[in-house]
Short mmCIF file of all heavy atoms in Angstrom, two decimals:
data_model
loop_
_atom_site.label_atom_id
_atom_site.label_comp_id
_atom_site.label_asym_id
_atom_site.label_seq_id
_atom_site.Cartn_x
_atom_site.Cartn_y
_atom_site.Cartn_z
N VAL A 159 64.18 -18.79 -95.48
CA VAL A 159 62.86 -18.57 -96.12
C VAL A 159 61.67 -18.73 -95.15
O VAL A 159 60.85 -17.79 -95.08
CB VAL A 159 62.72 -19.46 -97.36
CG1 VAL A 159 61.30 -19.40 -97.91
CG2 VAL A 159 63.69 -19.01 -98.44
N PRO A 160 61.44 -19.84 -94.44
CA PRO A 160 62.25 -21.03 -94.31
C PRO A 160 61.76 -22.17 -95.22
O PRO A 160 60.57 -22.35 -95.40
CB PRO A 160 62.01 -21.42 -92.85
CG PRO A 160 60.60 -21.00 -92.58
CD PRO A 160 60.32 -19.82 -93.48
N LYS A 162 61.26 -26.01 -95.29
CA LYS A 162 61.12 -27.02 -94.24
C LYS A 162 61.34 -28.43 -94.77
O LYS A 162 61.61 -29.35 -94.02
CB LYS A 162 59.72 -26.93 -93.62
CG LYS A 162 59.49 -25.64 -92.86
CD LYS A 162 58.07 -25.53 -92.40
CE LYS A 162 57.14 -25.38 -93.57
NZ LYS A 162 55.78 -25.00 -93.25
N SER A 163 61.14 -28.59 -96.08
CA SER A 163 61.29 -29.92 -96.66
C SER A 163 61.66 -29.76 -98.13
O SER A 163 61.60 -28.66 -98.67
CB SER A 163 59.96 -30.68 -96.55
OG SER A 163 58.95 -29.96 -97.23
N GLN A 174 57.44 -10.19 -102.78
CA GLN A 174 56.86 -11.09 -101.78
C GLN A 174 57.38 -12.49 -102.04
O GLN A 174 57.24 -12.99 -103.15
CB GLN A 174 55.33 -11.09 -101.86
CG GLN A 174 54.67 -9.79 -101.48
CD GLN A 174 54.49 -9.67 -99.97
OE1 GLN A 174 54.69 -10.62 -99.23
NE2 GLN A 174 54.13 -8.47 -99.52
N GLN A 175 57.95 -13.12 -101.00
CA GLN A 175 58.51 -14.46 -101.16
C GLN A 175 57.61 -15.48 -100.46
O GLN A 175 57.29 -15.30 -99.28
CB GLN A 175 59.89 -14.47 -100.51
CG GLN A 175 60.83 -15.48 -101.08
CD GLN A 175 62.21 -15.37 -100.45
OE1 GLN A 175 62.34 -15.17 -99.25
NE2 GLN A 175 63.24 -15.50 -101.25
N ARG A 176 57.21 -16.52 -101.18
CA ARG A 176 56.32 -17.53 -100.61
C ARG A 176 56.86 -18.95 -100.89
O ARG A 176 57.04 -19.31 -102.05
CB ARG A 176 54.92 -17.42 -101.22
CG ARG A 176 54.25 -16.08 -100.99
CD ARG A 176 53.75 -15.98 -99.57
NE ARG A 176 53.10 -14.73 -99.31
CZ ARG A 176 53.52 -13.81 -98.44
NH1 ARG A 176 54.64 -14.01 -97.77
NH2 ARG A 176 52.84 -12.72 -98.22
N PRO A 177 57.09 -19.73 -99.84
CA PRO A 177 57.52 -21.12 -100.08
C PRO A 177 56.32 -22.01 -100.41
O PRO A 177 55.25 -21.83 -99.83
CB PRO A 177 58.14 -21.52 -98.73
CG PRO A 177 57.49 -20.64 -97.72
CD PRO A 177 57.03 -19.39 -98.42
N TRP A 178 56.53 -22.95 -101.31
CA TRP A 178 55.44 -23.88 -101.70
C TRP A 178 56.00 -25.30 -101.62
O TRP A 178 56.94 -25.64 -102.33
CB TRP A 178 54.98 -23.57 -103.13
CG TRP A 178 53.80 -24.40 -103.54
CD1 TRP A 178 53.81 -25.72 -103.86
CD2 TRP A 178 52.44 -23.97 -103.65
NE1 TRP A 178 52.53 -26.15 -104.16
CE2 TRP A 178 51.68 -25.08 -104.05
CE3 TRP A 178 51.80 -22.75 -103.46
CZ2 TRP A 178 50.31 -25.02 -104.26
CZ3 TRP A 178 50.43 -22.68 -103.68
CH2 TRP A 178 49.70 -23.80 -104.07
N ASP A 179 55.38 -26.13 -100.76
CA ASP A 179 55.86 -27.51 -100.63
C ASP A 179 54.73 -28.53 -100.73
O ASP A 179 54.86 -29.65 -100.26
CB ASP A 179 56.66 -27.70 -99.33
CG ASP A 179 55.83 -27.34 -98.10
OD1 ASP A 179 54.62 -27.10 -98.24
OD2 ASP A 179 56.41 -27.30 -96.99
N TYR A 180 53.61 -28.14 -101.33
CA TYR A 180 52.49 -29.07 -101.49
C TYR A 180 52.50 -29.65 -102.90
O TYR A 180 52.29 -28.93 -103.88
CB TYR A 180 51.16 -28.35 -101.22
CG TYR A 180 49.98 -29.27 -101.40
CD1 TYR A 180 49.61 -30.16 -100.40
CD2 TYR A 180 49.28 -29.29 -102.61
CE1 TYR A 180 48.56 -31.04 -100.59
CE2 TYR A 180 48.23 -30.17 -102.80
CZ TYR A 180 47.88 -31.03 -101.79
OH TYR A 180 46.84 -31.92 -101.98
N GLN A 182 51.12 -33.09 -103.51
CA GLN A 182 50.31 -34.31 -103.56
C GLN A 182 49.39 -34.36 -104.77
O GLN A 182 48.91 -35.42 -105.13
CB GLN A 182 49.49 -34.47 -102.28
CG GLN A 182 50.25 -35.07 -101.11
CD GLN A 182 50.85 -34.00 -100.21
OE1 GLN A 182 51.36 -33.01 -100.70
NE2 GLN A 182 50.78 -34.20 -98.92
N ASP A 183 49.12 -33.21 -105.37
CA ASP A 183 48.23 -33.19 -106.55
C ASP A 183 49.01 -33.11 -107.85
O ASP A 183 48.45 -32.81 -108.91
CB ASP A 183 47.26 -32.00 -106.44
CG ASP A 183 47.98 -30.67 -106.56
OD1 ASP A 183 49.22 -30.64 -106.38
OD2 ASP A 183 47.33 -29.65 -106.82
N LEU A 187 47.75 -27.34 -108.34
CA LEU A 187 47.43 -26.16 -107.54
C LEU A 187 48.54 -25.11 -107.66
O LEU A 187 48.26 -23.91 -107.71
CB LEU A 187 47.24 -26.57 -106.07
CG LEU A 187 46.52 -25.58 -105.16
CD1 LEU A 187 45.10 -25.31 -105.62
CD2 LEU A 187 46.51 -26.07 -103.71
N PHE A 188 49.77 -25.59 -107.74
CA PHE A 188 50.90 -24.66 -107.88
C PHE A 188 50.82 -23.89 -109.19
O PHE A 188 51.05 -22.67 -109.23
CB PHE A 188 52.23 -25.43 -107.79
CG PHE A 188 53.44 -24.53 -107.92
CD1 PHE A 188 53.83 -23.73 -106.87
CD2 PHE A 188 54.15 -24.47 -109.11
CE1 PHE A 188 54.92 -22.88 -106.98
CE2 PHE A 188 55.24 -23.62 -109.23
CZ PHE A 188 55.63 -22.83 -108.17
N GLY A 190 48.14 -23.20 -110.80
CA GLY A 190 47.04 -22.25 -110.62
C GLY A 190 47.50 -21.04 -109.84
O GLY A 190 47.11 -19.90 -110.14
N TYR A 191 48.34 -21.29 -108.85
CA TYR A 191 48.87 -20.20 -108.03
C TYR A 191 49.74 -19.26 -108.87
O TYR A 191 49.57 -18.03 -108.80
CB TYR A 191 49.67 -20.81 -106.87
CG TYR A 191 50.42 -19.79 -106.03
CD1 TYR A 191 49.74 -18.76 -105.38
CD2 TYR A 191 51.79 -19.88 -105.86
CE1 TYR A 191 50.42 -17.84 -104.61
CE2 TYR A 191 52.49 -18.96 -105.08
CZ TYR A 191 51.79 -17.94 -104.46
OH TYR A 191 52.46 -17.02 -103.69
N ALA A 194 47.61 -17.23 -111.14
CA ALA A 194 46.95 -16.13 -110.43
C ALA A 194 47.92 -14.97 -110.19
O ALA A 194 47.54 -13.80 -110.33
CB ALA A 194 46.39 -16.65 -109.10
N LEU A 195 49.16 -15.29 -109.87
CA LEU A 195 50.15 -14.22 -109.67
C LEU A 195 50.40 -13.48 -110.98
O LEU A 195 50.53 -12.25 -110.99
CB LEU A 195 51.49 -14.83 -109.18
CG LEU A 195 51.52 -15.35 -107.75
CD1 LEU A 195 52.89 -15.97 -107.45
CD2 LEU A 195 51.23 -14.26 -106.74
N ASN A 198 47.79 -10.90 -111.77
CA ASN A 198 47.77 -9.69 -110.93
C ASN A 198 48.65 -8.58 -111.52
O ASN A 198 49.76 -8.82 -111.87
CB ASN A 198 48.27 -10.01 -109.51
CG ASN A 198 47.19 -10.74 -108.73
OD1 ASN A 198 46.02 -10.67 -109.07
ND2 ASN A 198 47.60 -11.43 -107.70
N ARG B 33 44.75 -11.22 -99.56
CA ARG B 33 45.70 -10.48 -100.39
C ARG B 33 46.52 -11.42 -101.28
O ARG B 33 47.25 -10.96 -102.17
CB ARG B 33 46.62 -9.62 -99.53
CG ARG B 33 47.61 -10.42 -98.73
CD ARG B 33 48.53 -9.57 -97.91
NE ARG B 33 49.34 -10.42 -97.06
CZ ARG B 33 50.28 -10.00 -96.24
NH1 ARG B 33 50.54 -8.72 -96.15
NH2 ARG B 33 50.96 -10.83 -95.50
N GLU B 34 46.43 -12.73 -101.01
CA GLU B 34 47.16 -13.73 -101.79
C GLU B 34 46.18 -14.50 -102.67
O GLU B 34 45.00 -14.58 -102.33
CB GLU B 34 47.83 -14.76 -100.86
CG GLU B 34 48.76 -14.17 -99.82
CD GLU B 34 50.16 -13.92 -100.37
OE1 GLU B 34 50.40 -14.21 -101.55
OE2 GLU B 34 50.99 -13.41 -99.59
N PRO B 35 46.65 -15.12 -103.76
CA PRO B 35 45.76 -16.02 -104.51
C PRO B 35 45.27 -17.15 -103.59
O PRO B 35 46.04 -17.62 -102.75
CB PRO B 35 46.68 -16.57 -105.61
CG PRO B 35 47.75 -15.55 -105.76
CD PRO B 35 47.97 -14.99 -104.40
N TRP B 36 44.02 -17.55 -103.76
CA TRP B 36 43.41 -18.53 -102.85
C TRP B 36 44.17 -19.86 -102.83
O TRP B 36 44.11 -20.62 -101.86
CB TRP B 36 41.93 -18.76 -103.20
CG TRP B 36 41.70 -19.39 -104.55
CD1 TRP B 36 41.48 -18.74 -105.72
CD2 TRP B 36 41.69 -20.79 -104.87
NE1 TRP B 36 41.34 -19.64 -106.75
CE2 TRP B 36 41.46 -20.91 -106.25
CE3 TRP B 36 41.86 -21.95 -104.13
CZ2 TRP B 36 41.39 -22.14 -106.91
CZ3 TRP B 36 41.79 -23.18 -104.78
CH2 TRP B 36 41.56 -23.26 -106.14
N GLN B 37 44.89 -20.15 -103.92
CA GLN B 37 45.60 -21.44 -103.99
C GLN B 37 46.61 -21.62 -102.86
O GLN B 37 46.85 -22.74 -102.40
CB GLN B 37 46.32 -21.58 -105.33
CG GLN B 37 45.42 -21.78 -106.54
CD GLN B 37 45.00 -20.48 -107.17
OE1 GLN B 37 45.18 -19.40 -106.61
NE2 GLN B 37 44.40 -20.56 -108.35
N LEU B 38 47.18 -20.51 -102.40
CA LEU B 38 48.18 -20.59 -101.34
C LEU B 38 47.55 -21.08 -100.04
O LEU B 38 48.10 -21.95 -99.36
CB LEU B 38 48.81 -19.20 -101.14
CG LEU B 38 50.13 -19.15 -100.40
CD1 LEU B 38 51.22 -19.89 -101.14
CD2 LEU B 38 50.57 -17.71 -100.19
N ALA B 40 44.70 -22.72 -99.94
CA ALA B 40 44.21 -24.08 -100.23
C ALA B 40 45.31 -25.11 -99.98
O ALA B 40 45.05 -26.18 -99.42
CB ALA B 40 43.71 -24.16 -101.67
N ALA B 41 46.53 -24.78 -100.38
CA ALA B 41 47.66 -25.70 -100.14
C ALA B 41 47.86 -25.91 -98.64
O ALA B 41 48.14 -27.02 -98.19
CB ALA B 41 48.93 -25.15 -100.78
N ARG B 44 45.02 -28.16 -97.44
CA ARG B 44 45.24 -29.54 -97.91
C ARG B 44 46.34 -30.24 -97.11
O ARG B 44 46.30 -31.45 -96.91
CB ARG B 44 45.63 -29.53 -99.39
CG ARG B 44 44.49 -29.20 -100.34
CD ARG B 44 45.00 -29.34 -101.75
NE ARG B 44 44.05 -28.95 -102.77
CZ ARG B 44 44.28 -29.13 -104.07
NH1 ARG B 44 45.40 -29.69 -104.48
NH2 ARG B 44 43.38 -28.77 -104.97
N SER B 45 47.34 -29.46 -96.66
CA SER B 45 48.46 -30.05 -95.93
C SER B 45 48.02 -30.71 -94.62
O SER B 45 48.70 -31.60 -94.12
CB SER B 45 49.51 -28.99 -95.60
OG SER B 45 49.97 -28.41 -96.78
N GLU B 47 45.60 -32.63 -94.34
CA GLU B 47 45.13 -33.97 -94.74
C GLU B 47 43.87 -34.38 -93.97
O GLU B 47 43.77 -35.47 -93.43
CB GLU B 47 46.24 -35.01 -94.55
CG GLU B 47 47.43 -34.76 -95.46
CD GLU B 47 48.63 -35.63 -95.13
OE1 GLU B 47 48.61 -36.30 -94.09
OE2 GLU B 47 49.59 -35.61 -95.92
N MET B 51 40.25 -32.70 -101.51
CA MET B 51 40.82 -31.53 -102.21
C MET B 51 39.78 -30.47 -102.56
O MET B 51 39.99 -29.28 -102.33
CB MET B 51 41.55 -31.97 -103.47
CG MET B 51 42.89 -32.60 -103.19
SD MET B 51 43.72 -33.01 -104.72
CE MET B 51 45.05 -34.03 -104.12
N ASP B 55 39.58 -26.63 -101.27
CA ASP B 55 39.61 -25.48 -102.19
C ASP B 55 38.43 -24.54 -101.95
O ASP B 55 38.58 -23.32 -101.94
CB ASP B 55 39.61 -25.96 -103.65
CG ASP B 55 40.90 -26.70 -104.00
OD1 ASP B 55 41.79 -26.75 -103.13
OD2 ASP B 55 41.01 -27.22 -105.12
N THR B 105 55.23 -31.19 -90.02
CA THR B 105 55.85 -29.86 -90.04
C THR B 105 55.17 -29.04 -91.14
O THR B 105 55.72 -28.84 -92.22
CB THR B 105 57.37 -29.94 -90.32
OG1 THR B 105 57.56 -30.79 -91.44
CG2 THR B 105 58.13 -30.44 -89.12
N ILE B 106 53.95 -28.61 -90.82
CA ILE B 106 53.18 -27.86 -91.82
C ILE B 106 52.88 -26.45 -91.30
O ILE B 106 52.99 -26.18 -90.11
CB ILE B 106 51.84 -28.58 -92.17
CG1 ILE B 106 51.00 -28.80 -90.90
CG2 ILE B 106 52.12 -29.89 -92.87
CD1 ILE B 106 49.60 -29.30 -91.19
N ASP B 107 52.50 -25.60 -92.25
CA ASP B 107 52.14 -24.24 -91.89
C ASP B 107 50.82 -24.26 -91.12
O ASP B 107 49.92 -25.03 -91.44
CB ASP B 107 51.95 -23.40 -93.15
CG ASP B 107 53.24 -22.73 -93.57
OD1 ASP B 107 54.27 -23.02 -92.96
OD2 ASP B 107 53.20 -21.93 -94.52
N PRO B 113 51.13 -17.64 -95.22
CA PRO B 113 52.10 -18.74 -95.23
C PRO B 113 53.35 -18.43 -94.39
O PRO B 113 53.58 -17.29 -93.98
CB PRO B 113 52.47 -18.85 -96.70
CG PRO B 113 52.27 -17.47 -97.23
CD PRO B 113 51.17 -16.84 -96.44
N GLY B 114 54.13 -19.49 -94.15
CA GLY B 114 55.45 -19.32 -93.53
C GLY B 114 55.48 -19.41 -92.02
O GLY B 114 56.49 -19.08 -91.42
N GLU B 115 54.38 -19.88 -91.42
CA GLU B 115 54.37 -20.00 -89.96
C GLU B 115 54.09 -21.46 -89.59
O GLU B 115 52.95 -21.92 -89.63
CB GLU B 115 53.31 -19.08 -89.37
CG GLU B 115 53.41 -18.93 -87.87
CD GLU B 115 52.28 -18.09 -87.29
OE1 GLU B 115 51.19 -18.03 -87.90
OE2 GLU B 115 52.49 -17.51 -86.23
N THR B 116 55.13 -22.17 -89.23
CA THR B 116 54.99 -23.59 -88.92
C THR B 116 54.31 -23.77 -87.56
O THR B 116 54.53 -22.98 -86.65
CB THR B 116 56.38 -24.25 -88.89
OG1 THR B 116 57.10 -23.86 -90.05
CG2 THR B 116 56.30 -25.76 -88.84
#
Side-chain angles (χ1 to χ4, degrees):
Chain A
V159 172
K162 293 174 293 192
S163 59
Q174 293 276 350
Q175 207 176 40
R176 300 284 180 244
W178 185 286
D179 58 8
Y180 179 80
Q182 279 93 319
D183 67 342
L187 197 62
F188 180 76
Y191 173 59
L195 288 177
N198 284 339
Chain B
R33 71 179 173 178
E34 304 276 359
W36 65 268
Q37 289 89 348
L38 198 63
R44 287 184 185 187
S45 301
E47 295 170 351
M51 284 183 192
D55 293 356
T105 49
I106 57 171
D107 270 6
E115 191 184 26
T116 312

